[in-house]
Amino acid sequence: MATETALPSSQVLESYPSAPSKSIPSLGSRRPAPTVPDVLTTIYSFPTMEPLRFAYYPANHLHLPLRRDILHRAVIFEGDATRQGTASTKWRDDVRGSGRKIRPQKGTGRARLGDKKNPMLRGGGVAFGPHPRDFSTKLPRKMYDLAWRIALSYRYRRGELIVVEDGVNIEMNEPRRIQQILEANHWGNADGRSLLVTTNLRRNLFAAMAGAGAHGRAKTEADVDVKDLLELGRIVIERSALDGILRDHSSDLNRTIPTAVYN
């Protein structure tokens, strides 16, 4: 079984068509718009990992500089949105019981108390206890979309973004089979766990990955977030899933760019 193939060197790339570049339309300026160079990505077949063809993606999709501050804000934003905030306690008004004063205010030599629902008594209410609340925070949509592409760019520059052809699946639901595939391509636990991203649910693949959880996990395009892109050792993603993520998270761009050009 073949392992991951390294990207072609600069001498080899000379024999291929040069990467197309697209100009950014200038707004309110007579100067020529700057060009955005494209980056080269290899499309592999799964599970043999044989290179099939090359694809060019815009640099502002897969070659953005690392911005730790934006990634941090995106991860915090996603974490806050997943907090349930359902913790709830009963204040004295929520506890069942009479509101009669349990003993006189003065003359007993003991502390003054109100009704039996007082927080100082056993069985009373909880003072300053948690109540259902919304922990979600706000983040500008353009900044969040930028964080997605920064995370993918970070993986791309490190050689940890592996794009495979659509239809990633295995014949049978066998964790041993997917474990062999991951280990043969050096994607297993020993080399860092892997995240497999598909366009939709693949029952055999997802069930096998659940059984081989020590080597990574599988998610659909709709279930992936920025934290997932940064958490594991590498990303093995279907071509259509990558195109869909880039298409859905490009609101900060002032122009429409074709997702990829294939050769």
Side-chain angles (χ1 to χ4, degrees):
M1 186 174 297
T3 58
E4 180 183 354
T5 305
L7 291 177
S9 61
S10 58
Q11 296 179 353
V12 177
L13 287 179
E14 293 178 357
S15 60
Y16 290 94
S18 59
S21 60
K22 306 174 183 63
S23 60
I24 305 176
S26 58
L27 301 177
S29 175
R30 295 183 179 179
R31 295 182 179 180
T35 59
V36 179
D38 293 348
V39 295
L40 181 67
T41 304
T42 307
I43 309 297
Y44 298 94
S45 63
F46 184 89
T48 59
M49 294 311 296
E50 296 179 358
L52 300 177
R53 59 186 180 277
F54 296 102
Y56 294 102
Y57 284 87
N60 53 9
H61 280 183
L62 289 183
H63 207 271
L64 292 173
L66 179 62
R67 289 288 304 273
R68 298 179 183 270
D69 55 335
I70 295 180
L71 292 177
H72 177 265
R73 292 191 60 178
V75 172
I76 295 300
F77 168 74
E78 293 173 346
D80 292 341
T82 58
R83 297 186 64 177
Q84 293 183 348
T86 56
S88 180
T89 56
K90 292 183 178 180
W91 179 230
R92 62 188 305 167
D93 293 336
D94 302 322
V95 177
R96 183 179 178 180
S98 172
R100 181 181 64 87
K101 190 174 177 65
I102 59 177
R103 62 171 175 250
Q105 179 79 356
K106 296 179 180 294
T108 62
R110 304 178 66 184
R112 52 191 177 186
L113 286 175
D115 55 30
K116 63 179 182 180
K117 300 181 290 184
N118 193 298
M120 293 185 294
L121 299 178
R122 183 175 182 179
V126 178
F128 308 110
H131 284 74
R133 56 170 292 188
D134 183 12
F135 285 97
S136 63
T137 55
K138 294 183 178 180
L139 185 69
R141 172 63 185 275
K142 292 184 177 181
M143 182 177 295
Y144 185 56
D145 289 347
L146 180 60
W148 277 83
R149 303 200 316 277
I150 290 176
L152 291 172
S153 300
Y154 172 75
R155 291 299 195 181
Y156 173 82
R157 287 195 303 271
R158 293 171 59 93
E160 298 169 349
L161 180 65
I162 304 169
V163 185
V164 297
E165 191 55 80
D166 296 348
V168 174
N169 207 347
I170 55 178
E171 297 80 9
M172 300 180 65
N173 174 14
E174 295 182 355
R176 181 180 179 85
R177 171 59 175 162
I178 192 64
Q179 179 178 348
Q180 292 175 349
I181 295 174
L182 296 177
E183 290 180 349
N185 291 286
H186 301 285
W187 296 346
N189 189 26
D191 301 285
R193 302 171 65 205
S194 301
L195 173 66
L196 274 64
V197 183
T198 60
T199 54
N200 47 45
L201 180 65
R202 312 286 164 75
R203 297 189 180 277
N204 289 345
L205 177 66
F206 279 56
M209 285 297 296
H215 295 276
R217 58 175 177 261
K219 285 192 173 186
T220 61
E221 172 191 347
D223 295 333
V224 175
D225 54 23
V226 176
K227 183 180 179 180
D228 293 326
L229 300 179
L230 301 171
E231 190 173 12
L232 300 185
R234 70 192 51 79
I235 303 171
V236 183
I237 185 171
E238 287 185 348
R239 174 183 54 83
S240 296
L242 177 61
D243 294 347
I245 291 176
L246 294 175
R247 181 176 59 254
D248 295 339
H249 297 285
S250 299
S251 64
D252 57 309
L253 301 178
N254 295 326
R255 60 195 180 94
T256 303
I257 304 177
T259 304
V261 178
Y262 298 97
N263 292 325

